[in-house]
């Protein structure tokens, strides 16, 4: 199996590493040539100098996996690739794209005989070690072609990945996944803020978060990560209480409105991300550190 990965940043680079560990050939391109060259030296990735060079090194049906920022960059890259590809070639979008965009892109590509897969990817900076959760949308025959890649990226060949439905369903499922994530993170942040604010008990936040990891009904990977960073610093005084909204939670709330399905927890969690830039909440500092712990997202430091 051989494929190209375009975009070798934090996620794309680690995905390339995991694929090479499974003996899958990877051709890699990034706007920063050093990223591709470093991976070439480290794991034997075939570094390319341009999109055209990338396409030329693949054999039909070509498989090209995009790990680029959602929106204009992904859109422009797909449009640049179209005249270079041949009928039956496959483009996979692994970004957190809006599922409406994925449906539109699939329709556009089908008109010129190209195939499209939308892949929701979860796992953050831990995906290299633990594997990625992959939520895949597309036709059955197209997903069958890329199945070896999905099995290699997932935590195990038989778990952690699924063909969830037609084009658009992969990014839709990931959107809802991230909306749930917003709610879970907000609940942890609020609960820990209440504990920290009860000064008369002088509670040890690191001790309690570690305690809850074992036998508690609120145990989770998010709690594992939270306990980890609180062991090192439970005051978080150097962290500004700024929790960015990266888009998926907002789209989930819009979807709840469009469907007329109540989603008050996710909606309020989104609103609290907006409000996080207006106060000095311990809970918001906790949530900001959670985002860094699972996704490597930057935190805002206090002046």
């Amino acid at each position: 199996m051989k494929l190209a990965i375009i975009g070798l940043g934090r996620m794309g680079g680690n995905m390339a590493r995991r694929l090479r560990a499974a003996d899958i050939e990877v051709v890699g391109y990034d706007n920063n040539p050093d990223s591709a060259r470093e991976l070439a030296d480290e794991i034997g990735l075939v570094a390319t100098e341009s999109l055209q060079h990338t396409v030329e090194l693949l054999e039909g049906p070509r498989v090209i996996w995009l790990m680029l920022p959602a929106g204009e960059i992904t859109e422009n890259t797909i449009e640049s690739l179209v005249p270079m590809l041949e009928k039956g070639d496959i483009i996979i979008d692994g970004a957190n794209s809006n599922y409406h965009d994925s449906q539109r892109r699939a329709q556009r590509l089908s008109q010129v005989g190209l195939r499209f897969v939308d892949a929701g990817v979860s796992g953050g900076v831990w995906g290299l070690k633990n594997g990625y959760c992959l939520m895949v949308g597309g036709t059955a025959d197209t997903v069958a072609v890329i199945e070896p890649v999905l099995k290699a990226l997932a935590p195990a060949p038989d778990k952690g990945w699924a063909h969830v439905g037609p084009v658009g369903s992969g990014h839709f499922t990931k959107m809802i996944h991230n909306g749930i994530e917003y709610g879970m993170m907000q609940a942890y942040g609020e609960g820990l803020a209440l504990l920290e604010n009860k000064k008369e008990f002088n509670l040890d936040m690191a001790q309690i978060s570690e305690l809850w990891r074992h036998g508690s009904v609120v145990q989770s990977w998010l709690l594992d990560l939270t306990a980890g960073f609180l062991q090192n610093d439970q005051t978080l005084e150097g962290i500004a209480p700024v929790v960015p909204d990266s888009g998926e939670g907002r789209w989930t709330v819009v979807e709840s409105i469009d469907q007329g399905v109540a989603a008050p927890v996710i909606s309020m969690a989104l609103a609290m991300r907006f409000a996080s830039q207006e106060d000095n909440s311990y809970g918001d500092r906790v949530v900001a550190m959670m985002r860094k712990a699972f996704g490597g997202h930057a935190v805002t430091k206090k002046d």
Side-chain angles (χ1 to χ4, degrees):
M1 183 74 194
K2 185 176 184 179
L3 82 160
I5 295 181
I6 297 176
L8 299 170
R10 192 167 53 227
M11 288 281 283
N14 277 346
M15 289 170 68
R17 290 182 175 95
R18 190 167 176 90
L19 290 170
R20 288 297 298 128
D23 291 326
I24 291 176
E25 294 183 72
V26 180
V27 175
Y29 172 72
D30 194 274
N31 281 337
N32 177 6
D34 289 341
S35 297
R37 284 195 291 263
E38 288 169 6
L39 285 168
D41 293 339
E42 177 189 343
I43 61 173
L45 170 145
V46 179
T48 66
E49 301 172 356
S50 65
L51 292 180
Q52 183 67 53
H53 186 205
T54 303
V55 171
E56 290 171 354
L57 291 179
L58 297 175
E59 301 170 358
R62 299 176 181 88
V63 176
I64 300 177
W65 192 309
L66 306 183
M67 287 304 296
L68 299 168
E72 185 176 356
I73 293 177
T74 293
E75 186 79 18
N76 291 343
T77 302
I78 290 174
E79 288 303 314
S80 295
L81 284 168
V82 167
M84 304 177 190
L85 299 177
E86 298 176 354
K87 185 176 181 179
D89 290 347
I90 300 169
I91 294 177
I92 307 166
D93 178 12
N96 283 326
S97 294
N98 189 298
Y99 78 96
H100 293 296
D101 288 336
S102 299
Q103 291 175 314
R104 174 180 53 77
R105 289 166 182 158
Q107 178 63 29
R108 154 84 171 103
L109 294 176
S110 70
Q111 293 172 353
V112 292
L114 300 177
R115 295 184 280 179
F116 183 83
V117 171
D118 56 302
V121 182
S122 182
V125 295
W126 296 87
L128 173 59
K129 177 182 177 181
N130 299 334
Y132 297 89
C133 178
L134 302 164
M135 298 147 262
V136 179
T139 62
D141 60 328
T142 302
V143 174
V145 173
I146 66 170
E147 188 170 308
V149 175
L150 302 175
K151 288 181 175 180
L153 288 172
D158 60 346
K159 64 180 63 175
W161 73 274
H163 177 202
V164 297
V167 168
S169 64
H171 282 152
F172 180 80
T173 303
K174 179 57 161 52
M175 179 185 77
I176 303 303
H177 163 284
N178 283 22
I180 294 169
E181 176 188 294
Y182 273 44
M184 292 175 65
M185 292 171 69
Q186 186 65 30
Y188 279 127
E190 291 176 8
L192 290 168
L194 287 168
L195 292 170
E196 190 270 342
N197 196 53
K198 194 68 171 175
K199 303 301 184 185
E200 65 183 274
F201 290 154
N202 192 30
L203 297 172
D204 186 325
M205 308 304 292
Q207 178 196 52
I208 292 170
S209 58
E210 177 63 27
L211 168 68
W212 284 352
R213 294 182 57 227
H214 307 283
S216 163
V217 296
V218 299
Q219 61 187 314
S220 72
W221 184 43
L222 279 174
L223 184 59
D224 294 343
L225 296 171
T226 302
F229 65 70
L230 288 177
Q231 289 292 333
N232 297 320
D233 174 16
Q234 59 179 290
T235 68
L236 306 180
E237 289 181 352
I239 304 300
V242 177
V243 186
D245 142 52
S246 55
E248 298 86 355
R250 190 179 302 206
W251 298 338
T252 303
V253 172
V254 171
E255 185 69 26
S256 76
I257 295 169
D258 289 345
Q259 290 190 24
V261 173
V265 172
I266 296 173
S267 299
M268 187 56 68
L270 173 65
M272 291 307 296
R273 292 205 174 189
F274 299 153
S276 73
Q277 302 179 40
E278 302 171 2
D279 59 23
N280 190 31
S281 163
Y282 180 81
D284 289 330
R285 296 201 295 274
V286 170
V287 174
M289 285 298 294
M290 278 190 232
R291 294 182 77 248
K292 179 182 179 183
F294 71 74
H297 301 289
V299 296
T300 302
K301 300 293 182 68
K302 280 190 174 180
D303 294 334

